[in-house]
Amino acid sequence: MDDELKERLEAASKACDTSVFWHPVRTPAEVLRAVADAADELGVDEWDVYAEQGAVARVEAEVAGLLGKPAAALFPSGIMAQQAALRVWCDRSGSKRVALPDLSHLLKHEDDGPRRLHGFEFDHLTTGSATATADDLRRLSPGLGAALIELPLRDGGCLLPSWEDLTALSEAARELGVPLHADGARIWESQPYWDRPLSEIAALVDSMYVSFYKGLEGLAGAALAGPEDVIEEARTWRRRMGGTLFHLTPYAVSALAGLKDRLPRMPEYAAWARSLAAELGERGLRVKPEPPHTNTFLVYADGSRDEVMERKVVFMEREKIEPCGGWYPSEVPGIVMTEVAAHDAALAHDPKQVATWIAEIVLG
């Protein structure tokens, strides 16, 4: 995409009155005012000090309760939370070998940090767009320090395993004595797929990380939940990695607001996404997975990225609506792809109309 098209795209995006995917755009002042209002509404009247007391203790207790785990700790980032969890499990196991998908966030988006900082050695639990099974874990050689599953597998189109496969994997991990950790960055969005309580899902793993800024639209931050002694050791690693900030209250308040306001809406987001996927299929576009497992999925179509993005800019300049994100070349030449994620902004639009807009942009 040339510089001129990039500049037009940026200008058109700023001029749009509304967007369909992700969260509605708000200014920093609007977001911070909303956090202040949430603090009043939630009755938060004291600061935490180095992640002790106040809203931090409150959100940790709420997450632990939702997931049915004895304890939880707030972290400023999911990257830090997961590396801390794996470090604790591996130190206890006496092995730095971690089994995980080759599409895992740790391998794709963390600049080799887990290996450089902690010395982890990675075995591929799965390769490509596939969810892990008990057989995948059993085929690996003995001596694993931990295993990680991503629920859902984001870079695979937010794929989720069947409940039967997830249960069997959990049983295999316990049989083999391998601590099983879940990357639950989007576990809130995944729960409607299985239609089971979050605590029943989390009971299948030894520890789980959850994110607050994705579906819950928090400022930032994450939590790690698991056994009390494991979480206490993870807090030590949080300090060692510089994550025990003087105040984490703003992140905790926005997380509490998200759990109150947006967690109950996850089934609506997923249902909207399934409706959109069906409408896109009727217009000749391909989606993955079909039907979507969560509120997020991938869309594929024949075409050239530059041509599709040119039509998107023209549409935005004319309609003052941003109907989709960016389009990129897929692994198959001549096919472009994008990711769509339904949240509050999407629910303000008719899936049929949005599918018509996307088809116009992609198919011309």
Side-chain angles (χ1 to χ4, degrees), residues 107-249:
L107 296 180
K108 300 280 285 185
H109 305 292
E110 299 184 17
D111 291 336
D112 202 24
R115 184 185 65 83
R116 288 177 174 270
L117 294 177
H118 301 283
F120 297 138
E121 302 168 9
F122 293 117
D123 290 25
H124 289 166
L125 182 60
T126 57
T127 55
S129 298
T131 57
T133 66
D135 288 343
D136 291 321
L137 185 61
R138 287 197 174 97
R139 69 173 169 75
L140 299 176
S141 59
L144 289 172
L148 178 149
I149 53 174
E150 194 171 305
L151 301 173
L153 187 62
R154 191 272 179 92
D155 281 354
C158 282
L159 294 172
L160 288 166
S162 69
W163 184 253
E164 293 72 23
D165 279 350
L166 184 57
T167 301
L169 175 64
S170 174
E171 292 172 351
R174 285 166 184 168
E175 174 191 322
L176 296 169
V178 177
L180 185 61
H181 170 77
D183 178 336
R186 293 168 175 80
I187 198 65
W188 319 118
E189 296 91 328
S190 302
Q191 183 271 333
Y193 177 75
W194 296 300
D195 193 25
R196 294 173 183 269
L198 286 163
S199 58
E200 188 175 350
I201 299 166
L204 298 179
V205 298
D206 297 294
S207 60
M208 177 179 287
Y209 136 71
V210 297
S211 176
F212 295 131
Y213 79 86
K214 298 177 177 67
L216 299 184
E217 203 182 355
L219 287 175
L224 177 66
E228 288 186 11
D229 56 339
V230 170
I231 299 306
E232 193 57 37
E233 284 189 49
R235 292 178 191 274
T236 299
W237 278 105
R238 183 182 64 189
R239 288 193 297 275
R240 288 169 175 162
M241 292 188 283
T244 307
L245 308 184
F246 181 49
H247 289 317
L248 285 164
T249 293

Side-chain angles (χ1 to χ4, degrees), residues 12-66:
S13 181
K14 289 180 179 179
C16 283
D17 299 319
T18 185
S19 62
V20 176
F21 297 110
W22 200 235
H23 299 293
V25 177
R26 296 184 291 170
T27 66
E30 289 172 331
V31 171
L32 293 174
R33 274 193 289 269
V35 172
D37 290 342
D40 284 338
E41 183 181 341
L42 294 164
V44 176
D45 56 7
E46 66 175 347
W47 289 93
D48 75 287
V49 178
Y50 293 117
E52 299 288 342
Q53 74 191 34
V56 171
R58 186 167 161 185
V59 77
E60 289 176 343
E62 186 161 341
V63 168
L66 283 168

Side-chain angles (χ1 to χ4, degrees), residues 341-352:
H343 298 288
D344 287 353
L347 299 188
H349 300 277
D350 180 355
K352 183 177 291 187

Side-chain angles (χ1 to χ4, degrees), residues 233-294:
E233 284 189 49
R235 292 178 191 274
T236 299
W237 278 105
R238 183 182 64 189
R239 288 193 297 275
R240 288 169 175 162
M241 292 188 283
T244 307
L245 308 184
F246 181 49
H247 289 317
L248 285 164
T249 293
Y251 304 108
V253 169
S254 66
L256 287 168
L259 290 169
K260 179 176 71 72
D261 297 332
R262 289 180 178 79
L263 182 55
R265 305 196 72 184
M266 294 299 165
E268 295 179 70
Y269 303 151
W272 193 98
R274 287 193 296 271
S275 295
L276 175 65
E279 295 290 344
L280 290 171
E282 290 183 4
R283 288 160 178 77
L285 283 80
R286 301 179 290 282
V287 304
K288 176 185 176 181
E290 173 56 50
H293 292 176
T294 72

